[in-house]
Amino acid sequence: MTSVLDLQEVTTRYGELAGIDRITLTVPEAACFPILGDNGAGKSTLLETIAGLSRPASGRILFNGRDITRLGAEDRGRLGIGIALEGRRLFSDLTVIENLRAAVLLLPRADRPSAIESAYEIFPQLRARSRQTAGTLSGGEQQMLALVRVLIRQPRLLLLDEPSLGLAPWLAKAILQRVWELTARRVTVIVAEPNTSVLPQTELTGCLLYRGKVVDVAPVPYLLSLDSAAIQTKLQLRPIDE
Amino acid sequence: MALLADYILTHLVYLSILVIFAAGVVVLYGLAGVFTLGHQGFMAIGAYFAAGIACLMPAGGSPILAAALLVASVIAGVGGAVAGGLLLTGPSVRLRGDYMALATLAFAEILVALIRNTEALGGMRGLDVASLLPRASGSARLPILGTYALASVAMAAGAVLAVQRLGRSRLGIALRALRDDELAARSMGLENRRARLISFTMGAGLCGLAGCLYAHFSGHVSPRDFGFVQGAMVLLYVVLGGSTAVGTVCAVAVVYFLDEGLKLRCFGLLTGGLGDALVNWKDAILAGLLIALLAWRPYGLLTANRLRSEP
Amino acid sequence: MSYLLTQLGNGLMLGCMYGLIAVGFSLVYGVARLMNFAHGEFFMVGAYGALFSAELPLWRWGNGAGATMFWTLVISVLVSAASGALVSVLVERLAYRRIRRVSRTATFLVAVGASILLQQIGFKVFSASPRGFPDVCTPVVVAAPTLSGWLQPSAGLPCEVAVTSQLQAVALSPSGTSAVTFVVLAFAVWGALFFVLRTDTGLAIRAVSIDEKSARSVGIRPQPAIVITFAVGGALAGIAGFLWSLRYGGVQPLMGFIPGVKAFVAAVIGGVGSVTGALVGGLLLGLLETLSFAYLPGEVSGYRDAVTLLLLLVFLLIRPLGLLGRQFGEAA
Amino acid sequence: MSGALEPERPHTELSHEPPVLAGSRLTKFYGGVAALERVSLEIPPGEVIGVVGANGAGKSTLLNLLTGAIRPDDGEVYVGGRPMNGQSPAAFAHAGVARTFQKLRLFPSLTILENVCVAMPSTERWSLRSALLRGRSEVGREEDERARGLALLRLVGLEDRAKHLIGNLTYGQRRLVELARALAREASVVLLDEPAAGMNANEERQLCDVLIRINQARHLALLIVEHRWALLRRMAHRALWLSDGRVVQEGAPESVFAAILDSAGVITR
């Protein structure tokens, strides 16, 4: 399995604390790669660094072997990297259709209508809401809009930051099920999600973050079994500067 | 030689008036964290109150009466400014950042527009202040000027010391906490209404005091003296001084020296074409320089950019 | 009755001019969270730009047939828009770009500095005496509130700007001037609305205003959107400057300050960040001023500026979001 | 969860006084989304209650409502039996409610000791005169507050860092300073928002020890929002499971954790 994404010793400061610290990570092609960790462990910083929204202080990022460390978020978007930010971050005063139009400004003018149309195929409920301002949608509908804003650009690497935030587990599972169908075996997905029940299956390989460092890359059930004492001993094995 | 002394003493008085005014803004902006653009309104209140009361001086009245009226006019000026300050505490709690700036600007500009349109206050031309200290000329002028200079420097030093002590007191710590993170501070029981009341009183009061001294010393007050630009300049000194009392005094001194220097062709060093150009373009050069300084050190010349202190 | 109509007409036109300036101020605040105090100066630059183009020898006023008049106007509008836009973009590039993200207070002070700098350059390049369109225009004593203002104890005290003069546009009869003003205003207002609400660039600008990080995540570059916003804002203010000087004359370096403040008031009343809000706020303010000037007794109308600012204070206290504005979360 | 060590849960008999903090039918909407719907709970004096649930289930919203940071759209908050109906966070603090925040919110321009002392209930109201003149009584009060502040810092093991700014502290130490600041309020209930997030094993143990000792010594009620069940197993008398803005289950910690596990909603990492 060739690797889609390689991070080499990437460090990004975020305020003073919840940054990421010399992270080295390889994400296999067309895999669903969960990222686990406490709030403030650096999950969002890692995803935003990969998407180009935060500039790393040091280290290199390779996408399909090409160094994209210096590229901005817009250029990475063109290369096929899409991110759905934590907390949905919709353009709440724009209508649903305007949100979609804004999301496809990146594409050539000819492809935009078909891309917008595909959004309604992924989540048909949105068609009835297209004239409504995004802020007035229900929690589930807002999450659907946030997801289609990225999906309709057919990204090759999809980054999801806590997609189940604020939703009842059954609703999150139903919505994300649609995403897994679309991306299985075709799109590489990196998802930061503490609620592991919404993941496509239980036996995925992911990584656990603690204070901006990678504790381990292993199957999710094993990562879930590590408590703070185990993390302590694991990190001791590697030189850490507390 | 007397001319040089006169020049120095006069500028010393204006410098200390500016320091007292800036100390007031340090309390409003530095401690209370209020983005103020209207502090020149408080100074205008102080100046016009002082001018008004000074007019009651009967010609040739006894010096004791003059001294009493002088004290009365200062108290009235400061009191009026404090009243103006209290007026703004209400909105200051509800409005944030930019909107508070616009509200204080509107307050000051309304005040100045009203003054400019009421004949009783001299309208556009302004009021002459029957200076209670005899405007002696010739040899008698220096001692009078000396006492003025001494008094204003003492008051300026007192203002700076008071602001410094306020900063270190428990009230000062509470004000800084409220400025760093208002919700966290209020969740710890810090009632910002009372803290704002106190800091507005002191801030506006100092601005009013500066207004009184300016009225008495310059002998003339007019709406133009309290324009929007003058207010912005003082806020600039406070920002360049890192929102601290001492830092602001240095910033005031530096810019004042620069302004004078440019005006006098670098104290007579540059004569001829370049000198004229310098004087001619003085304000443009000063504005450009201050923009550059701010861009380089937005939180004050001495504070490193890392140490953000922003209301 | 016709007096009321003409006053309403004047009020509408004055309102549209305030609206045009307010649109620029509002858009810039929306997309960059920046109170552009130098925005009034783009209005002045536009006036000088149009003046410059109108004085070009090959387009003398009034001697050619209607066509020359038409082309002169078109050129003047274009030049005033271009000069306003150019200076606006320059100010963004040189003064605001770096400081904007660092500190709000410093950014405001830089804006004041830029405003003073433009006024000073205006004085040196165009001299203080007011100039009207190549027609007679009553001279008015003018001087700038110098930077150090009352800092100079001895030097002559700076004097305040007098009330602007009335223009007697010989070549264009008053009704001709208002007709032209009305057409150009209508075109500019429609253009502003169309640009922001209908075009893709307008959509990008609105997206950046609402949530810059989210806009970047969907591939919109904030920096070009901000530059375009400054350019459009500057152009609209420039056009307003040209029309103002066409109707009221008195093109002098300080002409931008008071209309600039009025535009801030209009933007806040209408709701900062919304284009329609800025236009509505401008119209309201223009009508209020013109009617109060026309109907209130003489000495009271002297308080016109105070009334405008009082309106600002009232709106700030009771409805800071303005009529059509919305809460600007610090999402950026 | 490992739960290796036997949970020595502090046993205090729950008295019949009015609850130190209570919420009835608390509801909060953000746009079209109900962050919290008709949530009721009561915290008797001295009780430790744990709140668990997925991110976005409404835990922080509940905590913000109970501390006055935000106002409920419906329902009522009672502190010591008295309705608070929308008073300011400072009024909540004076009524005896203290809190910490999920994202650290210490005061950067103040030293660590000042961070703690600023939260102390200043009996004497500020006045300009006392601030400027600093008479004997004022200095005396400052000395007393400094001593109490240092005692709190000693409790969390940071007394030697009193003069430092928060810049040069590790993450765990900052959490402990925030705890000391909350305890400085001498409140009847302290609400903690994910206090152990990002803490290593010994910092977590130290936090637990401090909380247990304070709970027993000062009969201080605690509401702890936390993902790490191990900490709640050691301390909590009761647990409350929030999901999608509603209370799913409330009761003994073990029964609530068991309910979460077999609902196949493995919530926590």
Side-chain angles (χ1 to χ4, degrees):
Chain A
M1 276 253 259
T2 62
S3 74
V4 160
L5 185 74
D6 276 284
L7 276 79
Q8 296 162 356
E9 292 293 317
V10 175
T11 303
T12 306
R13 273 178 208 74
Y14 174 81
E16 289 151 39
L17 288 164
I20 50 176
D21 182 15
R22 290 197 308 278
I23 284 201
T24 301
L25 203 60
T26 311
V27 178
E29 178 90 35
C32 177
F33 189 86
I35 300 179
L36 306 176
D38 281 350
N39 286 342
K43 302 196 291 290
S44 294
T45 311
L46 177 60
L47 290 183
E48 286 170 15
T49 302
I50 298 170
L53 292 170
S54 308
R55 183 165 294 283
S58 65
R60 283 173 64 215
I61 305 173
L62 305 177
F63 178 56
N64 292 332
R66 173 179 172 183
D67 186 335
I68 60 166
T69 319
R70 286 287 160 265
L71 279 186
E74 304 74 20
D75 302 321
R76 298 192 195 185
R78 283 193 180 75
L79 287 177
I81 300 178
I83 183 169
L85 290 167
E86 182 190 16
R88 299 194 265 281
R89 300 290 287 267
L90 298 173
F91 302 124
S92 45
D93 297 289
L94 299 183
T95 62
V96 169
I97 188 81
E98 281 172 331
N99 269 272
L100 294 176
R101 269 182 52 216
V104 294
L105 285 177
L106 190 66
L107 301 176
R109 199 170 289 278
D111 306 345
R112 292 179 189 166
S114 58
I116 292 176
E117 198 45 40
S118 68
Y120 298 131
E121 280 142 27
I122 301 173
F123 291 117
Q125 304 91 319
L126 288 180
R127 191 184 293 277
R129 295 272 185 265
S130 64
R131 286 279 168 258
Q132 231 176 301
T133 48
T136 59
L137 300 180
S138 75
E141 286 160 349
Q142 287 190 16
Q143 186 59 46
M144 291 179 206
L145 181 56
L147 290 170
V148 288
R149 269 198 338 179
V150 191
L151 290 171
I152 57 181
R153 296 210 309 273
Q154 268 97 27
R156 301 225 319 283
L157 169 61
L158 176 62
L159 310 169
L160 301 177
D161 199 342
E162 289 211 45
S164 77
L165 187 66
L167 299 179
W170 60 269
L171 182 57
K173 229 166 138 68
I175 293 175
L176 287 171
Q177 196 53 40
R178 194 76 182 88
V179 176
W180 308 138
E181 285 157 17
L182 285 167
T183 56
R185 285 179 305 287
R186 270 191 323 100
V187 179
T188 313
V189 180
I190 305 178
V191 53
E193 180 52 67
N195 181 358
T196 52
S197 67
V198 298
L199 296 176
Q201 68 255 44
T202 51
E203 275 316 312
L204 295 168
T205 303
C207 82
L208 172 63
L209 286 189
Y210 167 77
R211 274 205 204 157
K213 301 182 191 61
V214 173
V215 176
D216 202 351
V217 177
V220 167
Y222 168 72
L223 294 175
L224 286 178
S225 68
L226 301 174
D227 65 9
S228 52
I231 293 175
Q232 194 66 36
T233 46
K234 254 192 167 358
L235 285 179
Q236 240 87 41
L237 305 182
R238 293 162 50 196
I240 56 160
D241 47 343
E242 189 42 62
Chain B
M1 181 46 203
L3 189 62
L4 184 62
D6 184 292
Y7 172 84
I8 290 176
L9 285 176
T10 309
H11 282 290
L12 207 54
V13 172
Y14 276 101
L15 196 57
S16 5
I17 291 175
L18 205 50
V19 163
I20 296 172
F21 188 17
V25 178
V26 166
V27 173
L28 289 171
Y29 174 73
L31 286 178
V34 171
F35 188 176
T36 160
L37 302 175
H39 38 272
Q40 67 271 14
F42 302 141
M43 185 173 175
I45 295 175
Y48 273 86
F49 261 87
I53 289 187
C55 298
L56 306 178
M57 174 70 190
S62 67
I64 307 117
L65 179 61
L69 272 178
L70 180 66
V71 170
S73 68
V74 169
I75 292 170
V78 171
V82 165
L86 297 184
L87 209 63
L88 280 181
T89 45
S92 73
V93 174
R94 267 202 316 283
L95 294 178
R96 286 288 162 275
D98 297 347
Y99 285 98
M100 183 59 190
L102 275 181
T104 52
L105 175 62
F107 162 75
E109 289 298 315
I110 288 174
L111 204 68
V112 171
L114 288 179
I115 294 173
R116 195 184 299 135
N117 284 296
T118 39
E119 274 318 305
L121 294 172
M124 194 73 96
R125 297 174 322 285
L127 278 173
D128 288 330
V129 182
S131 172
L132 299 167
L133 293 176
R135 263 271 182 265
S137 62
S139 61
R141 179 173 164 76
L142 265 188
I144 303 282
L145 206 52
T147 49
Y148 248 99
L150 201 61
S152 45
V153 167
M155 274 191 255
V160 171
L161 187 65
V163 169
Q164 197 74 6
R165 274 182 82 96
L166 180 64
R168 287 212 183 77
S169 70
R170 275 175 52 248
L171 174 61
I173 292 173
L175 283 171
R176 282 209 307 277
L178 279 161
R179 200 194 56 190
D180 283 350
D181 187 333
E182 176 144 4
L183 174 64
R186 294 180 71 199
S187 305
M188 294 301 135
L190 296 183
E191 192 45 71
N192 59 11
R193 177 168 297 284
R194 184 165 173 71
R196 276 185 197 274
L197 206 68
I198 292 174
S199 42
F200 269 80
T201 310
M202 184 163 176
L206 282 174
C207 298
L209 177 62
C212 294
L213 292 180
Y214 173 67
H216 282 296
F217 186 74
S218 73
H220 179 79
V221 286
S222 79
R224 280 182 298 285
D225 303 337
F226 311 105
F228 154 77
V229 169
Q230 283 78 358
M233 284 305 296
V234 175
L235 182 62
L236 179 66
Y237 301 148
V238 172
V239 169
L240 289 181
S243 310
T244 61
V246 174
T248 305
V249 171
C250 308
V252 166
V254 164
V255 176
Y256 193 90
F257 181 79
L258 218 62
D259 182 69
E260 278 306 303
L262 284 177
K263 188 143 47 68
L264 300 174
R265 296 177 173 69
C266 284
F267 299 99
L269 305 176
L270 300 169
T271 52
L274 186 57
D276 300 340
L278 217 55
V279 172
N280 208 323
W281 285 84
K282 173 171 74 69
D283 289 321
I285 297 169
L286 209 54
L289 185 69
L290 295 176
I291 293 179
L293 263 175
L294 267 175
W296 173 52
R297 270 282 187 273
Y299 299 113
L301 296 178
L302 306 171
T303 44
N305 286 0
R306 185 176 45 70
L307 260 180
R308 278 186 59 125
S309 70
E310 179 85 15
Chain C
M1 189 43 204
S2 71
Y3 177 71
L4 175 65
L5 270 183
T6 44
Q7 289 314 325
L8 278 180
N10 291 341
L12 267 176
M13 267 180 256
L14 182 64
C16 282
M17 288 187 209
Y18 286 151
L20 281 187
I21 313 172
V23 163
F25 175 81
S26 218
L27 279 182
V28 160
Y29 185 83
V31 81
R33 295 294 185 283
L34 181 141
M35 279 204 295
N36 186 3
F37 266 78
H39 195 69
E41 272 41 72
F42 308 148
F43 170 86
M44 173 260 287
V45 164
Y48 273 109
L51 196 63
F52 174 74
S53 72
E55 284 177 352
L56 287 179
L58 21 96
W59 304 102
R60 287 303 300 160
W61 284 91
N63 56 11
T68 328
M69 177 73 66
F70 171 75
W71 283 114
T72 315
L73 282 178
V74 167
I75 298 295
S76 300
V77 170
L78 292 178
V79 168
S80 64
S83 41
L86 181 70
V87 171
S88 173
V89 167
L90 267 174
V91 166
E92 191 275 330
R93 184 71 195 81
L94 300 177
Y96 294 148
R97 184 159 298 182
R98 213 182 66 77
I99 190 92
R100 182 171 72 82
R101 295 186 187 287
V102 175
S103 142
R104 299 184 78 76
T105 321
T107 309
F108 160 73
L109 289 171
V110 164
V112 171
S115 163
I116 294 168
L117 202 57
L118 288 171
Q119 286 167 5
Q120 293 298 326
I121 294 172
F123 270 107
K124 300 301 176 293
V125 172
F126 300 109
S127 82
S129 62
R131 295 153 61 179
F133 273 76
D135 303 288
V136 171
C137 164
T138 46
V140 166
V141 172
V142 160
T146 48
L147 190 61
S148 40
W150 49 276
L151 283 180
Q152 297 118 333
S154 48
L157 287 172
C159 59
E160 183 51 64
V161 171
V163 176
T164 51
S165 71
Q166 288 304 327
L167 168 78
Q168 294 79 30
V170 171
L172 270 175
S173 67
S175 60
T177 327
S178 19
V180 162
T181 318
F182 200 77
V183 166
V184 175
L185 276 178
F187 179 75
V189 164
W190 175 81
L193 284 172
F194 178 83
F195 169 75
V196 172
L197 299 178
R198 286 289 171 274
T199 63
D200 283 346
T201 327
L203 181 62
I205 288 173
R206 281 183 292 151
V208 170
S209 315
I210 296 169
D211 187 338
E212 182 172 328
K213 185 180 204 177
S214 176
R216 289 182 62 211
S217 77
V218 294
I220 296 173
R221 280 181 215 279
Q223 201 49 51
I226 290 171
V227 171
I228 292 171
T229 309
F230 268 89
V232 167
L236 291 176
I239 294 175
F242 160 60
L243 293 176
W244 178 283
S245 50
L246 191 63
R247 270 179 71 78
Y248 303 111
V251 176
Q252 35 84 11
L254 246 189
M255 67 189 285
F257 183 70
I258 294 178
V261 173
K262 299 259 173 77
F264 299 158
V265 175
V268 169
I269 292 175
V272 176
S274 106
V275 182
T276 42
L279 291 169
V280 165
L283 278 179
L284 248 172
L285 201 58
L287 284 173
L288 183 90
E289 255 187 41
T290 318
L291 294 179
S292 73
F293 199 82
Y295 285 96
L296 290 180
E299 69 291 346
V300 171
S301 61
Y303 291 90
R304 215 159 41 130
D305 289 348
V307 167
T308 316
L309 290 162
L310 202 60
L311 201 62
L312 170 67
L313 204 56
V314 164
F315 260 86
L316 280 175
L317 297 180
I318 296 170
R319 196 163 155 67
L321 299 185
L323 301 175
L324 302 168
R326 50 175 186 66
Q327 186 56 36
F328 265 87
E330 290 305 322
Chain D
M1 283 300 143
S2 61
L5 34 97
E6 176 45 41
E8 354 83 8
R9 194 170 308 123
H11 296 291
T12 50
E13 75 303 332
L14 302 174
S15 62
H16 44 69
E17 295 151 30
V20 283
L21 185 58
S24 77
R25 291 192 340 282
L26 291 174
T27 307
K28 184 68 181 179
F29 280 90
Y30 288 115
V33 178
L36 217 58
E37 261 179 291
R38 288 188 309 282
V39 169
S40 298
L41 85 156
E42 283 190 3
I43 310 175
E47 185 190 66
V48 178
I49 176 169
V51 177
V52 289
N55 280 341
K59 306 195 301 292
S60 289
T61 308
L62 174 63
L63 202 135
N64 282 332
L65 286 172
L66 292 174
T67 57
I70 51 177
R71 289 205 168 86
D73 292 329
D74 189 14
E76 193 49 65
V77 179
Y78 302 87
V79 176
R82 275 193 359 283
M84 294 301 283
N85 44 45
Q87 293 193 20
S88 74
F92 274 77
H94 291 303
V97 177
R99 68 168 301 174
T100 64
F101 295 86
Q102 184 182 12
K103 288 190 172 58
L104 274 163
R105 298 183 76 152
L106 292 168
F107 305 123
S109 61
L110 270 59
T111 67
I112 292 175
L113 183 59
E114 281 171 351
N115 262 276
V116 173
C117 291
V118 86
M120 290 186 175
S122 61
T123 48
E124 194 268 328
R125 303 187 61 76
W126 302 314
S127 78
L128 203 56
R129 188 186 46 73
S130 64
L132 294 185
L133 305 182
R134 303 256 301 266
R136 242 182 4 281
S137 67
E138 171 75 8
V139 171
R141 197 174 320 102
E142 273 171 20
E143 281 313 318
D144 162 47
E145 274 182 8
R146 269 172 53 78
R148 293 213 312 273
L150 286 172
L152 281 169
L153 287 180
R154 196 176 311 120
L155 184 70
V156 294
L158 290 168
E159 190 182 0
D160 51 2
R161 294 297 195 91
K163 287 278 180 296
H164 292 221
L165 289 173
I166 54 171
N168 34 41
L169 284 185
T170 70
Y171 184 79
Q173 288 169 331
R174 292 180 196 202
R175 279 280 173 205
L176 293 170
V177 171
E178 209 185 21
L179 177 63
R181 180 175 73 175
L183 299 177
R185 266 289 345 134
E186 281 151 19
S188 48
V189 59
V190 176
L191 291 87
L192 305 156
D193 200 341
E194 296 195 33
M199 276 196 170
N200 58 40
N202 40 45
E203 279 163 351
E204 192 181 318
R205 201 172 309 109
Q206 189 181 2
L207 172 74
C208 245
D209 297 344
V210 169
L211 290 178
I212 291 175
R213 200 175 317 132
I214 289 288
N215 170 257
Q216 285 166 356
R218 298 189 186 177
H219 201 54
L220 179 66
L222 295 173
L223 181 143
I224 307 174
V225 167
E226 187 47 67
H227 283 302
R228 295 190 181 183
W229 293 359
L231 185 124
L232 296 183
R233 278 201 170 83
R234 271 190 70 190
M235 305 199 52
H237 300 113
R238 214 158 34 104
L240 190 124
W241 174 19
L242 267 185
S243 176
D244 193 25
R246 273 185 290 276
V247 176
V248 179
Q249 177 150 353
E250 187 177 355
E254 283 317 324
S255 66
V256 172
F257 298 154
I260 294 176
L261 282 177
D262 57 35
S263 81
V266 177
I267 298 297
T268 175
R269 185 330 291 146

